[in-house]
C-alpha cells in the first residue's frame, strides 16, 4: 500500500518517527519519506543514526513547524500519506505554557488539515493519547480538540480523496519521558529506591513497534473518522519497579497534578459506536456523513457500557513477563 508512495511524518525526529522510518523501509518500498520537524540538531543526529540502516536517498529532512501554515503547504507538495506525530506532550510543560500547547496541538492540527485538503493528500493518520479521554490536564484537553478536528475534517473532503483517522495509545514503553529510562538512570547510579507515584496505578504496555504497526493498519484500511486502539496488556507500576530492580525499596511519592490512576482508551459513552477486532478496537464516528458503509468488516460491537481501562483490563503482565518484555526495550 505504501510502495512507491511519498510519506511525511510530522515530529519525525521523536521516538515514533525514528521507529516508523526504520519499519516503513523494512515492510514497504516507499518512493520518499519526509521527516518534518523544527529541530535541526535532532534532524542531523537522526540522519547520521540512519545512514547505514535505510536507503537515505529516499529520505528527506524538512525543517518546519506545524504552526507554520505556509511551510506545511510547501512540505505537503506531492505527499500521498501523512502521519501526524508532532505535539507538545509533557504535561507540566503544557500546564505552565498553555497557549504554546494550544498553538502546537490545536492550531497545528488545523494547519495539517487545511494543507492536506488543499494539497490532495490521500490520507492523514493523527496520533492521539489516552490523556485525550476524559481529560484532566491541558495536554489531554488540547489532544481531545485535535482528535475532534481530524475526525470532523472528513466532512470537508467533499469530492477529494483525503481521509483523516486517529491512532490512540498511552505512554510507550521506553520512550523519551517515560518512567523506564528514568528508573534505568537511577539504577545505573546504584540507587536502591525507586519513586512510585501510587501503588494502585496501572498502565497499558505498548511498544514502539506496536504503535507503528497500528499506524500502518490505519494507513492501509481506514475509510475516514475511525479511532484505532490496540488490544494490549496492563501492568501495575509497582510490578514494573520490581521487574527492573528486584527487591528494590519503593517510595510512594503521590500522584502528580494532571495524572490519572488508570489509563482509559475507550469510555463507556463511546461503547455504542465501538467495535472489537482481533487485535484492536475501532471507535467509529457519530456524524451524519459517517454511515455503515464506512465500517470495516470483521468487527463485533462491544457491549453497551464497555470501558477499555488499564485497571479493569483482562490481560495482565506479571513481574516475570515484564522482565522479559524489558529485554526488548
Amino acid at each position: 500500500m505504501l510502495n512507491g508512495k511519498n510519506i511525511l511524518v510530522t515530529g519525525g525526529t521523536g521516538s515514533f518517527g525514528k521507529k516508523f522510518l526504520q519499519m516503513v523501509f523494512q515492510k514497504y518500498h516507499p518512493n520518499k519519506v519526509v521527516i518534518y520537524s523544527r529541530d535541526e540538531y535532532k534532524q542531523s543526529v537522526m540522519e547520521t543514526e540512519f545512514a547505514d540502516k535505510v536507503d537515505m536517498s529516499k529520505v528527506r529532512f524538512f525543517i518546519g513547524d506545524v504552526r507554520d501554515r505556509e511551510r506545511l503547504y510547501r512540505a505537503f507538495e506531492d505527499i500521498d500519506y501523512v502521519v501526524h506525530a508532532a505535539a507538545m506532550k509533557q504535561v507540566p510543560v503544557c500546564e505552565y505554557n498553555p497557549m504554546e500547547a494550544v498553538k502546537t496541538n490545536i492550531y497545528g492540527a488545523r494547519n495539517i488539515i487545511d494543507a492536506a485538503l488543499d494539497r490532495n493528500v490521500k490520507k492523514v493518520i493523527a496520533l492521539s493519547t489516552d490523556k485525550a479521554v476524559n481529560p484532566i490536564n491541558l495536554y489531554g484537553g488540547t489532544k481531545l480538540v485535535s482528535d475532534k478536528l481530524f475526525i470532523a475534517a472528513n466532512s470537508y473532503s467533499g469530492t477529494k480523496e483525503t481521509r483523516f483517522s486517529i491512532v490512540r495509545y498511552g505512554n510507550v514503553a521506553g520512550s523519551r519521558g517515560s518512567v523506564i529510562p528514568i528508573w534505568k538512570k537511577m539504577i545505573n547510579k546504584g540507587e536502591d529506591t525507586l519513586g512510585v507515584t501510587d501503588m494502585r496505578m496501572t498502565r497499558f504496555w505498548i511498544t514502539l513497534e506496536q504503535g507503528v504497526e497500528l499506524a500502518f493498519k490505519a494507513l492501509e484500511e481506514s475509510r475516514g473518522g475511525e479511532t484505532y486502539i490496540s488490544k494490549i496488556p496492563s501492568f501495575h507500576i509497582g510490578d514494573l519497579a520490581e521487574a527492573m530492580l528486584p527487591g528494590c525499596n519503593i517510595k510512594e511519592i503521590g500522584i502528580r497534578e494532571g495524572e490519572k490512576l488508570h489509563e482509559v482508551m475507550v469510555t463507556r459513552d463511546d461503547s455504542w459506536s465501538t467495535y472489537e477486532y482481533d487485535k484492536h478496537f475501532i471507535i467509529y464516528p457519530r456524524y451524519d456523513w459517517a454511515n455503515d458503509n464506512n465500517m470495516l468488516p470483521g468487527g463485533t460491537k462491544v457491549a453497551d457500557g464497555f470501558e477499555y481501562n488499564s485497571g479493569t483490563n483482562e490481560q495482565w503482565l506479571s513481574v516475570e513477563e515484564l522482565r522479559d518484555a524489558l529485554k526488548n526495550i
Side-chain angles (χ1 to χ4, degrees):
M1 182 268 304
L2 297 179
N3 292 337
K5 304 300 183 183
N6 297 327
I7 309 157
L8 182 143
V9 184
T10 71
T13 56
S15 301
F16 176 90
K18 289 181 178 180
K19 183 57 67 173
F20 182 92
L21 184 64
Q22 174 190 338
M23 292 178 63
V24 77
F25 279 100
Q26 290 174 346
K27 190 170 184 177
Y28 302 100
H29 300 282
N31 179 62
K32 178 174 65 175
V33 179
V34 178
I35 301 299
Y36 183 94
S37 72
R38 61 187 182 181
D39 192 321
E40 60 181 303
Y41 174 71
K42 289 180 182 177
Q43 287 193 5
S44 176
V45 170
M46 186 172 174
E47 186 172 10
T48 301
E49 180 182 347
F50 281 86
D52 57 353
K53 295 181 180 178
V54 302
D55 183 355
M56 293 302 291
S57 68
K58 296 184 176 182
V59 179
R60 302 287 185 273
F61 289 91
F62 206 107
I63 294 290
D65 196 315
V66 294
R67 300 181 184 187
D68 189 337
R69 181 186 175 95
E70 293 182 2
R71 188 63 169 163
L72 280 172
Y73 271 68
R74 178 66 63 196
F76 279 25
E77 185 72 37
D78 295 326
I79 293 296
D80 299 300
Y81 297 100
V82 171
V83 180
H84 177 45
M88 281 186 63
K89 302 180 177 72
Q90 296 295 323
V91 170
V93 174
C94 290
E95 295 293 327
Y96 190 71
N97 304 275
M99 281 311 302
E100 299 306 304
V102 168
K103 289 175 186 176
T104 296
N105 297 351
I106 297 178
Y107 297 165
R110 180 189 63 183
N111 291 338
I112 294 284
I113 291 165
D114 288 342
L117 288 170
D118 293 343
R119 291 301 193 196
N120 294 310
V121 170
K122 291 182 176 63
K123 195 172 288 187
V124 176
I125 303 300
L127 302 191
S128 182
T129 168
D130 66 286
K131 295 172 183 63
V133 182
N134 296 332
I136 61 171
N137 54 55
L138 185 77
Y139 169 51
T142 61
K143 290 301 286 184
L144 170 63
V145 175
S146 173
D147 290 357
K148 294 294 186 181
L149 289 173
F150 279 111
I151 292 171
N154 289 280
S155 66
Y156 293 93
S157 294
T159 58
K160 297 177 182 290
E161 296 182 5
T162 311
R163 295 294 180 266
F164 303 85
S165 297
I166 304 293
V167 166
R168 176 183 294 159
Y169 47 80
N171 292 329
V172 175
S175 64
R176 187 178 60 198
S178 68
V179 72
I180 292 174
I182 295 172
W183 282 352
K184 276 186 176 179
K185 288 182 180 179
M186 295 173 65
I187 293 167
N188 290 338
K189 289 180 180 178
E191 298 188 27
D192 61 0
T193 300
L194 300 180
V196 171
T197 50
D198 192 303
M199 288 299 290
R200 297 170 295 170
M201 184 173 286
T202 66
R203 290 292 183 262
F204 287 107
W205 181 275
I206 188 168
T207 64
L208 277 171
E209 289 82 359
Q210 288 172 310
V212 173
E213 286 290 355
L214 189 62
F216 284 157
K217 187 166 190 62
L219 282 168
E220 189 169 323
E221 69 177 27
S222 61
R223 298 174 181 178
E226 306 94 337
T227 300
Y228 284 76
I229 299 113
S230 285
K231 293 166 66 175
I232 46 181
S234 295
F235 65 93
H236 290 279
I237 194 71
D239 287 345
L240 178 62
E242 177 64 23
M244 293 186 67
L245 185 59
C248 68
N249 298 313
I250 292 178
K251 180 181 179 181
E252 202 165 4
I253 58 179
I255 293 178
R256 298 170 296 180
E257 180 71 25
E259 195 171 29
K260 296 180 181 180
L261 271 180
H262 310 291
E263 290 181 336
V264 178
M265 299 291 185
V266 179
T267 68
R268 292 182 176 88
D269 293 324
D270 280 323
S271 61
W272 70 276
S273 59
T274 300
Y275 282 70
E276 181 177 2
Y277 293 80
D278 183 33
K279 295 182 179 179
H280 63 284
F281 298 98
I282 294 179
I283 304 173
Y284 286 97
R286 308 176 181 181
Y287 296 94
D288 292 340
W289 51 262
N291 55 53
D292 291 343
N293 293 330
N294 283 355
M295 294 182 62
L296 295 159
T300 303
K301 186 184 174 301
V302 302
D304 290 343
F306 169 82
E307 181 179 79
Y308 193 43
N309 183 315
S310 65
T312 58
N313 194 9
E314 295 179 356
Q315 292 179 270
W316 288 87
L317 292 175
S318 66
V319 172
E320 286 302 319
E321 287 169 331
L322 282 167
R323 194 166 290 137
D324 288 339
L326 285 164
K327 296 175 182 177
N328 299 318
I329 300 301

